[in-house]
Amino acid sequence: MANKVDVKELLDAGVHFGHLTRRWNPNMAPYIYMERNGIHIINLYKSAAKMQEAGDALAKIAASGRKILFVATKKQAKEIVAEQAEKANMPYITERWPGGMLTNFVTIRKAVKKMASIDRMKKDGTFNSLSKKERLQVDRLRAKLEKNLGSISDMSRLPAALFVVDTTREHIAIKEAHKLNIPIFAMVDTNSDPREVDYLIPSNDDASKSISKVVSYVADSIVEGLSERKSEKSTKKKEEKASKEEKSDKAPKEKKEKKAEVPSKDAEDKKAMKEAKNDVKLESKSETLDKAKASNEEE
């Protein structure tokens, strides 16, 4: 369960400021509180409710162990999104959106692997065997790949969800997510279409304070989901360990069968056994009868 949102904090961060009234999208009407000085004012109570709804959904996704891709290429959002995504241990895109990032994910993964192969070349000494010009070209390629794809190097499969700042600017990412049915969470300003998003947060997506407030709340919700997953794993391990111990205690202890004594194979032992048998040798029936007759005659 995500933390509750304080409306006063949203007000202080300027989340309520929308765009000019002439640039509005009519589909945002339900989330607009009023108009002041030619600017639309967003209803912060609705923003708070939507933030909490989005936070709960993102926490569940994080708890399931899947990745959430953060997307924000506008200047005032880059550093904030990169910092918060790293805190939540999630991939992010803050430079130009690579075309086909989602729809052609296999090719993007090849580019990421290229980056890893260059690193291996530097470690095993292959890089030093190249000419000066080739080394320079490889370094430039590595820097370019790091800038555009370095933040998604750990993303081995498609993300479970997208979190976008400014849907109008990131329209290509939105279209690709729609094609693959990936749920979209986004900060939606009064000039954007809320119908393109599955979980919208009506908010000012231009001011850095507003972006910081919303994105930090989202990142905290994801961290909460990850910690919940970690605690569930540890409790599950403890339960499995306890059940194994119970089974081992309940299992009937097998009685040890007495092993039959095996005759000794030692020569001296055999000799001693033979002598003992001769000493206690039983008389035959005829010998016993003869002794009995002799004793009767003597009497």
Side-chain angles (χ1 to χ4, degrees), residues 85-136:
E86 281 174 6
K87 184 179 84 172
N89 196 25
M90 291 292 165
Y92 58 91
I93 295 288
T94 53
E95 296 301 324
R96 184 185 66 83
W97 174 263
M101 165 75 198
L102 301 175
T103 51
N104 196 11
F105 188 68
V106 177
T107 307
I108 298 295
R109 281 301 302 165
K110 281 179 184 176
V112 173
K113 284 176 183 176
K114 179 73 177 171
M115 197 162 56
S117 69
I118 293 169
D119 291 339
R120 280 198 300 274
M121 280 171 64
K122 287 185 177 181
K123 282 181 181 178
D124 61 22
T126 315
F127 182 75
N128 296 326
S129 63
L130 300 173
S131 65
K132 190 177 179 182
K133 187 180 179 181
E134 285 173 330
R135 285 202 300 271
L136 191 64

Side-chain angles (χ1 to χ4, degrees), residues 17 49 54 63 79 82 95 121 178 217 223 227 241 244 259:
F17 290 117
E79 287 182 13
E95 296 301 324
M121 280 171 64
H178 281 159
Y217 176 82
V223 169
S227 61
K241 195 179 180 182
K244 279 179 183 178
K259 291 181 180 179

Side-chain angles (χ1 to χ4, degrees), residues 15-35:
V15 176
H16 59 293
F17 290 117
H19 276 270
L20 294 169
T21 52
R22 67 173 182 271
R23 292 180 60 195
W24 80 311
N25 189 307
N27 293 303
M28 281 296 289
Y31 306 103
I32 293 170
Y33 176 66
M34 63 180 291
E35 178 194 331

